[in-house]
Amino acid sequence: MTGVHPAWLPRDVDDSIVLTRDPDCGLGEEGYTIARAGGVTTVVAAGEPGLMYGAFHALRLREDCPAATHRPAKARRVMQHWDNVFVHPVMGQVERGYSGGSVFWEDGALTADLDRVSDYARLLAATGINLVSVNNVNVHAGEARLLTDRLGEVAALAGRFRQYHIRVLLSVSFASPVTLGGLGTADPCDPAVREWWAAAARRVYAVIPDFGGFVVKADSEGQPGPFAYGRTHADGANALAAALAPFGGDVYWRAFVYNHRQDWRDRSTDRARAAFDHFSPLDGQFADNVILQVKHGPIDFQPREPVSPVLLGMAATRLAVEFQATQEYTGQQRHVCYLPPMWSAVLSAVADRVDAVVTVSNVGEDPYWTGHPLAQANLYAAGRLAWDPALDPIALLDEWIRLTFPDAAAGVLHALMDSSWAVYESYTAPLGVGFMVKPGHHYGPDVDGYEYSPWGTYHFADRDGVGVDRTVATGTGFCGQYPPPWSARYESLETCPDELLLFFHHVPYSHVLHSGTTVIQHIYDIHFAGAAAVTEMRRRWDALPPALVGEGLHARVGELLAEQERSAVEWRDQINTYFFRKSGVPDALGRRIH
Ligand code: GCV
């Protein structure tokens, strides 16, 4: 290590790593070259961020390698928190958080443990993340004040993140001019409202000069938005963007806008259509510093969804894809579910179209950071994929395992995790149907839990068949929101992939899949197989000597696998029994269905 000892320098960097600054190397602020020979790693970069990323890379390397150049594919690599400042009566300290309390907030106050925030910043920087939002997109009254009289607390967090070249974002309420500013309106076209936002931005940049910008959930699930004033989402986003533009800040405007008070009897309204219906007419109308943040699938982070047509269709708008590391619908960090193969499949379709990769964090005050120790792999790979969306998700898993566990444990960890998303999918909702979870908290099976609810998430199972007809020919027309070749592929039963069949089509139980089996037999088979796979995962983990991975961690994962096995059996039995009772078709293999 030559000459520099900044705060970001990883603790374990020693003389075997040579960091050299070359302002003329032409790699931008974050790029670097790295080579390792004879046990010494050399990093060359123009600026501190590049040296930092190179130093973390050096720590990942084991083998000698020729000089290689690395630059992030995306300038915006974002981790977003759904952390509340005040404990919410229903959602708690962290909305959909499964890792204990918030790393930032505790019972209405800024955390007293800012050193842990620094540790978290280092952890994120090591994965490549460079932007972090510190509060929930559902901005409650107390949290809204982070923009005004509680700004100093955001500045304190920003100070810790800055040491690792991470900039802070703040979720703000669209109604702030009214609720905080005392104005009579939050109409984005009203000059006083625009001036209120401009003044708010000036105050923010006075204390946080490298502030990243605002995250906004508007007209969604009860959050205020421009519709109340007869304005479009472009009007709304552009008003905030104008306030941030002089300082180089961005607005991350969420496309998660749908009717959550739908009448289940109304078969013409399709929640999957909502984002595209709302936003595609606005393509080209957003300011340059607005980034439309789109959940990767059209509904809501289900175990299997097609890619959102918004990400494939809005060529004149800057886009971000949003993933969910917090496992709301994928086992809530009680189940092993390594999600990057899902994310990577999405990125292979949209990476060239997005300006930012956003992930909803799975981190809390838990000593293992993520509740389930193995859920750390999702956090790690989220950052690495944001840096380079072309990375192989299974190679990333092995990278994380190698950096975290001794070699002797690697085989078991790989076997447990590499297909864990497919395993989770197999014992939960079949063939892309989704939302068969218990309402509210979303853990465990309840096949009809959302079937007669206002949330727009139905499967339409009856005695003859199951699935949602989203075709143009006979259904909601959602397939038509896709450009070719997707539209035709999903529209046709011949070409629709099995794993998304029930997302796009309502079919009889006797429908034969491309795999050659009927829908009903597939449901039985896949649920028996999924639960059996979890039993095997548990057996493998229990056979691993605890000392190899640490007694405490071994015990924690062991307890969680026991819960995963219990839950998988519950899913298997409820889903199989439900469909057996609906269809009356027995299992061809005569297994026990209740
Ligand atoms: C933060 C789903 C979740 C909500 C979440 C929302 C969103 O509806 O259940 O908890 O709110 O998505 O992404 O805004």
Side-chain angles (χ1 to χ4, degrees):
M1 211 356 264
T2 52
V4 281
H5 293 280
W8 51 258
L9 194 64
R11 290 173 191 144
D12 23 10
V13 165
D14 58 23
D15 287 346
S16 68
I17 298 178
V18 179
L19 303 179
T20 305
R21 190 173 299 178
D22 175 5
D24 302 320
C25 67
L27 298 173
E29 270 293 287
E30 296 186 312
Y32 58 91
T33 58
I34 188 163
R36 182 174 163 90
V40 175
T41 309
T42 308
V43 173
V44 180
E48 275 211 11
L51 289 180
M52 179 187 77
Y53 292 124
F56 283 123
H57 190 157
L59 293 173
R60 288 200 295 269
L61 279 182
R62 274 188 182 175
E63 311 292 329
D64 287 357
C65 65
T69 299
H70 296 271
R71 269 191 260 206
K74 301 294 161 198
R76 292 168 182 78
R77 307 177 299 277
V78 191
M79 192 59 66
Q80 291 187 358
H81 281 253
W82 289 353
D83 296 16
N84 298 312
V85 178
F86 295 90
V87 178
H88 186 272
V90 178
M91 292 299 174
Q93 189 82 68
V94 181
E95 180 153 350
R96 312 304 182 187
Y98 312 106
S99 309
S102 166
V103 271
F104 306 135
W105 314 105
E106 193 181 351
D107 278 337
L110 179 66
T111 177
D113 191 359
L114 285 174
D115 287 346
R116 186 164 161 84
V117 176
S118 294
D119 288 346
Y120 179 46
R122 188 177 69 248
L123 196 155
L124 288 184
T127 73
I129 291 293
N130 68 352
L131 284 151
V132 65
S133 74
V134 296
N135 64 313
N136 191 358
V137 290
N138 290 325
V139 185
H140 309 292
E143 285 76 5
R145 290 170 46 214
L146 293 173
L147 179 60
T148 51
D149 54 308
R150 297 193 64 168
L151 189 55
E153 293 160 70
V154 183
L157 294 173
R160 296 301 178 122
F161 279 110
R162 188 174 299 118
Q163 294 176 336
Y164 293 90
H165 302 288
I166 294 173
R167 296 189 300 150
V168 157
L169 303 167
L170 194 62
S171 298
V172 296
S173 165
F174 189 78
S176 296
V178 175
T179 56
L180 301 172
L183 301 186
T185 178
D187 180 350
C189 298
D190 184 302
V193 170
R194 295 174 77 86
E195 176 45 34
W196 189 89
W197 282 110
R202 283 195 295 273
R203 282 194 306 271
V204 172
Y205 280 92
V207 291
I208 312 173
D210 56 352
F211 182 65
F214 297 145
V215 183
V216 188
K217 173 177 178 177
D219 290 318
S220 170
E221 299 183 336
Q223 292 297 301
F227 286 162
Y229 305 98
R231 305 298 184 186
T232 70
H233 276 244
D235 295 329
N238 291 347
L240 276 64
L244 295 169
F247 308 100
D250 295 319
V251 176
Y252 293 77
W253 189 270
R254 294 179 88 229
F256 184 60
V257 178
Y258 71 100
N259 177 8
H260 71 288
R261 298 207 176 93
Q262 192 182 322
D263 185 341
W264 58 268
R265 299 166 194 83
D266 166 18
R267 296 286 290 256
S268 67
T269 305
D270 178 6
R271 175 167 164 182
R273 293 187 57 114
F276 192 87
D277 281 343
H278 283 302
F279 286 94
S280 65
L282 305 177
D283 195 22
Q285 295 180 28
F286 290 96
D288 283 351
N289 60 331
V290 173
I291 296 174
L292 187 64
Q293 182 175 312
V294 187
K295 289 192 180 185
H296 66 82
I299 302 270
D300 196 1
F301 299 137
Q302 296 306 290
R304 175 79 68 168
E305 291 189 43
V307 65
S308 167
V310 180
L311 292 166
L312 299 170
M314 292 187 61
T317 301
R318 297 178 73 195
L319 298 169
V321 59
E322 182 180 327
F323 297 123
Q324 194 188 43
T326 193
Q327 293 170 233
E328 178 177 359
Y329 297 101
T330 50
Q332 304 201 346
Q333 282 139 262
R334 286 187 247 178
H335 297 217
V336 183
C337 189
Y338 180 64
L339 291 164
M342 175 206 281
W343 302 339
S344 179
V346 173
L347 287 168
S348 68
V350 306
D352 293 345
R353 298 164 180 266
V354 299
D355 272 353
V357 178
V358 173
T359 306
V360 181
S361 174
N362 58 357
V363 160
E365 61 180 359
D366 172 66
Y368 295 105
W369 295 99
T370 51
H372 200 308
L374 305 188
Q376 281 182 20
N378 286 332
L379 183 75
Y380 180 78
R384 300 279 288 123
L385 284 172
W387 178 281
D388 182 356
L391 289 171
D392 173 1
I394 299 303
L396 282 177
L397 172 65
D398 289 334
E399 186 177 295
W400 176 80
I401 291 172
R402 183 173 60 70
L403 291 168
T404 313
F405 293 101
D407 286 349
V412 171
L413 281 150
H414 183 103
L416 235 72
M417 297 177 74
D418 75 331
S419 52
S420 53
W421 165 45
V423 169
Y424 183 83
E425 181 188 23
S426 67
Y427 61 79
T428 55
L431 302 168
V433 79
F435 261 99
M436 291 179 169
V437 289
K438 291 208 171 74
H441 58 69
H442 298 163
Y443 186 75
D446 185 346
V447 184
D448 282 339
Y450 276 103
E451 196 58 13
Y452 307 103
S453 80
W455 294 91
T457 49
Y458 314 120
H459 54 69
F460 300 122
D462 59 20
R463 65 179 184 175
D464 299 319
V466 57
V468 190
D469 183 353
R470 294 191 159 110
T471 62
V472 175
T474 55
T476 68
F478 172 67
C479 290
Q481 291 186 339
Y482 286 89
W486 286 278
S487 46
R489 189 160 151 239
Y490 292 146
E491 176 82 13
S492 162
L493 271 175
E494 305 302 314
T495 50
C496 184
D498 283 350
E499 68 270 16
L500 287 170
L501 179 70
L502 304 183
F503 194 96
F504 287 107
H505 297 273
H506 186 91
V507 295
Y509 295 114
S510 57
H511 176 83
V512 178
L513 300 169
H514 299 300
S515 68
T517 188
T518 61
V519 165
I520 190 69
Q521 191 57 42
H522 173 85
I523 291 174
Y524 298 149
D525 290 349
I526 200 85
H527 285 82
F528 281 114
V534 178
T535 299
E536 174 60 10
M537 285 160 72
R538 190 177 171 202
R539 188 197 64 73
R540 293 191 81 136
W541 183 258
D542 288 346
L544 192 70
L548 206 53
V549 292
E551 310 267 346
L553 185 140
H554 191 274
R556 168 82 74 97
V557 174
E559 282 159 21
L560 289 164
L561 280 168
E563 164 55 18
Q564 182 170 356
E565 187 181 32
R566 183 209 62 75
S567 177
V569 167
E570 187 184 16
W571 272 99
R572 178 197 70 192
D573 290 344
Q574 286 204 25
I575 299 272
N576 283 349
T577 300
Y578 177 94
F579 283 105
F580 172 60
R581 289 182 185 173
K582 281 271 174 199
S583 70
V585 180
D587 171 30
L589 298 183
R591 289 162 293 195
R592 179 144 197 233
I593 295 178
H594 299 267

